[in-house]
Amino acid sequence: MSKAGIVIRKEYLERVKGKGFIISTILIPVIFSAFILIPLALAFFTSSDGKEVYAIVDETGVINAPALRASSDAKTIFEILKPEDKEIARQHTVTGKFTAYVVLSNDSANSETPFKAIVYSKNVGDFESQRLVRNTLQRALRSHFLSQKGYSEMEVKVINDPLKLETQVVSKDEGKSDKMGGFSGFIVAYVMVFLIYGTIFSYGAVVSSSVMEEKSSKVMEVMAASVTPFDLMLGKIVGIGLVGFTQYLIWSVVSFGMSAVSLSMSTKFNFSLPASLLVYFVLFFIYGYLLFATIYAAIGSAFENAQDAQSVQAPISMLVIIPILVVQYVISKPDSTFSVIMSLIPFFSPILMMGRIASSDVPVWQIALCFFIMTATFYGILKAAAKIYRIGILMYGKKPTLGEIVKWARYS
């Protein structure tokens, strides 16, 4: 095994076996699972037959059964009761047969709204039920007045029901599209770019602090005697990167499992993740980490503690923050000149180009150019960082300025 491979193995196993890694790797999926499973469990156990029945005590005489049936489904039922059945509705609500009952009456004192509705329920904090009742009554009243004006049942339905709108990314190849459209594509784009953003910040800081810790404890001097500074730096970057990749892999497996459980119990969301999008995500994930982890490793080698390094790390952090500030615009306008130019800047590409790919059909030449620029940039940064690392790990007792660090990178 090469010396760099030995360092990679050491960094990886040392962190994977650590308590912090084990706790965080387990804790995050547990929290994520709780957000999905607890609401599902509550919804299942709080209803014996899975149905909610709402009684409408209509004192106005304008609500008709067809209008309520249009708002009813397998889990929610609306029933019309006569005004004299108000006491029956109250008793059934107390015993739990009805989820709630509503008294709809005329409100002659109010010139703006001629109707008044009062919801009687055992739980006045159930705002979801209140919203459902309000929307149902509004629909029923609207249907009544439209039918009075001579509108047909189909016309009333078109006016009441929102238009179903689907979106799909246009592909250059006719009949072919492996991109998600609409809300699901928007969400996936955001999730992916923020995962890359979080990785760059969190694991880049881990690389920097790890280098400073070994330098301040004089361990670096012992290691430098048997391993070249380049192998040390490369081993640390790759080793810590593999730790992050392992953790994300575990989280992804759990996330997909929990999402499958949630989707199997709900028909509201249904989308598939294109394989090409996953490949691009992994590539930008790796490039983003390597670009910034290399810079953080070089900075960490020049300082002995995090406080001293903050003055130099701040400008580097801005290279990560800037794309986050404009990512919303780039995702919503992926083909604009601004979005194209910003996504081709190598330090912004992992976030912005990933956002464009997830939300639109980006030309292949732009993606290829992006990877070429990132590769060339990484090569240049790696050479400069190796020179800084070689000098910095053995430099003690002095806090270098940014100008001095740049000079180190120019040494042959």
Side-chain angles (χ1 to χ4, degrees):
M1 182 181 293
S2 65
K3 293 182 178 179
I6 295 173
V7 177
I8 292 172
R9 184 174 181 272
K10 167 189 171 294
E11 293 290 340
Y12 180 78
L13 294 178
E14 187 178 87
R15 283 171 169 77
V16 167
K17 293 179 180 179
K19 292 182 179 179
F21 176 85
I22 295 173
I23 292 174
S24 62
T25 303
I26 295 174
L27 186 60
I28 297 298
V30 168
I31 295 174
F32 181 82
S33 302
F35 275 110
I36 295 178
L37 296 180
I38 290 178
L40 291 175
L42 289 174
F44 178 79
F45 288 110
T46 54
S47 180
S48 57
D49 56 4
K51 295 182 180 180
E52 293 184 340
V53 181
Y54 296 88
I56 308 297
V57 179
D58 182 19
E59 296 181 348
T60 66
V62 300
I63 303 297
N64 56 62
L68 291 184
R69 281 198 299 268
S71 298
S72 300
D73 53 35
K75 294 184 179 180
T76 307
I77 299 175
F78 290 91
E79 294 184 358
I80 298 180
L81 298 182
K82 298 178 181 179
E84 56 266 27
D85 294 331
K86 188 185 300 184
E87 179 59 26
I88 296 176
R90 188 190 69 82
Q91 293 176 2
H92 285 344
T93 302
V94 171
T95 58
K97 185 177 180 180
F98 289 165
T99 303
Y101 76 97
V102 186
V103 177
L104 180 65
S105 60
N106 293 303
D107 189 7
S108 58
N110 191 336
S111 60
E112 295 182 358
T113 305
F115 298 100
K116 178 176 67 175
I118 302 177
V119 180
Y120 295 89
S121 173
K122 294 174 67 175
N123 180 12
V124 295
D126 190 352
F127 299 110
E128 178 62 25
S129 293
Q130 296 172 24
R131 182 193 64 81
L132 178 63
V133 169
R134 181 177 61 252
N135 291 344
T136 300
L137 290 177
Q138 285 179 341
R139 176 192 177 96
L141 291 171
R142 189 161 54 241
S143 299
H144 167 74
F145 287 111
L146 289 172
S147 61
Q148 291 284 63
K149 294 292 184 179
Y151 286 88
S152 67
E153 184 177 345
M154 177 58 68
E155 289 171 330
V156 171
K157 181 175 176 60
V158 170
I159 294 173
N160 273 330
D161 295 342
L163 179 67
K164 292 182 179 180
L165 181 65
E166 295 182 0
T167 59
Q168 185 66 54
V169 177
V170 176
S171 176
K172 292 182 179 179
D173 298 330
E174 184 178 356
K176 176 185 176 183
S177 180
D178 60 351
K179 303 289 182 181
M180 291 174 298
F183 186 70
S184 60
F186 181 81
I187 291 298
V188 168
Y190 260 91
V191 169
M192 287 185 167
V193 299
F194 275 97
L195 277 175
I196 295 174
Y197 168 76
T199 300
I200 292 173
F201 250 131
S202 59
Y203 283 97
V206 170
V207 170
S208 180
S209 61
S210 176
V211 173
M212 286 185 285
E213 181 181 345
E214 290 183 353
K215 179 179 178 179
S216 60
S217 63
K218 309 296 183 181
V219 174
M220 194 69 76
E221 294 181 2
V222 178
M223 297 178 67
S226 56
V227 184
T228 64
F230 179 81
D231 287 339
L232 275 175
M233 182 184 72
L234 186 64
K236 187 171 291 293
I237 291 171
V238 176
I240 294 176
L242 289 175
V243 172
F245 189 80
T246 301
Q247 193 170 56
Y248 279 18
L249 183 62
I250 295 173
W251 290 349
S252 298
V253 171
V254 175
S255 298
F256 276 112
M258 291 299 100
S259 298
V261 172
S262 177
L263 290 173
S264 66
M265 302 180 69
S266 174
T267 58
K268 292 182 179 180
F269 301 100
N270 184 21
F271 62 87
S272 59
L273 199 61
S276 60
L277 196 59
L278 287 175
V279 172
Y280 281 128
F281 171 72
V282 172
L283 289 175
F284 281 109
F285 179 94
I286 293 172
Y287 268 93
Y289 169 77
L290 289 178
L291 279 170
F292 285 91
T294 304
I295 297 175
Y296 278 114
I299 293 175
S301 68
F303 298 93
E304 297 178 50
N305 56 74
Q307 289 75 21
D308 292 341
Q310 283 180 353
S311 59
V312 178
Q313 286 180 345
I316 306 302
S317 299
M318 288 303 299
L319 295 177
V320 188
I321 295 173
I322 289 174
I324 289 297
L325 296 177
V326 301
V327 69
Q328 182 176 354
Y329 175 84
V330 171
I331 290 176
S332 61
K333 305 288 184 181
D335 298 324
S336 67
T337 303
F338 175 82
S339 298
V340 173
I341 293 175
M342 290 293 285
S343 66
L344 291 176
I345 298 175
F347 298 107
F348 303 163
S349 295
I351 292 176
L352 298 184
M353 184 61 80
M354 186 66 246
R356 290 183 63 208
I357 292 175
S359 60
S360 69
D361 191 22
V362 180
V364 176
W365 72 265
Q366 291 184 13
I367 299 176
L369 178 61
C370 174
F371 280 116
F372 175 79
I373 295 174
M374 285 194 299
T375 302
T377 303
F378 173 65
Y379 178 75
I381 290 175
L382 187 63
K383 289 186 64 176
K387 296 176 182 179
I388 296 171
Y389 201 90
R390 182 183 61 191
I391 298 173
I393 58 175
L394 300 177
M395 184 75 68
Y396 292 94
K398 182 182 178 182
K399 178 182 174 181
T401 63
L402 182 59
E404 290 175 325
I405 294 176
V406 172
K407 287 182 180 178
W408 296 352
R410 294 176 178 175
Y411 291 159
S412 58

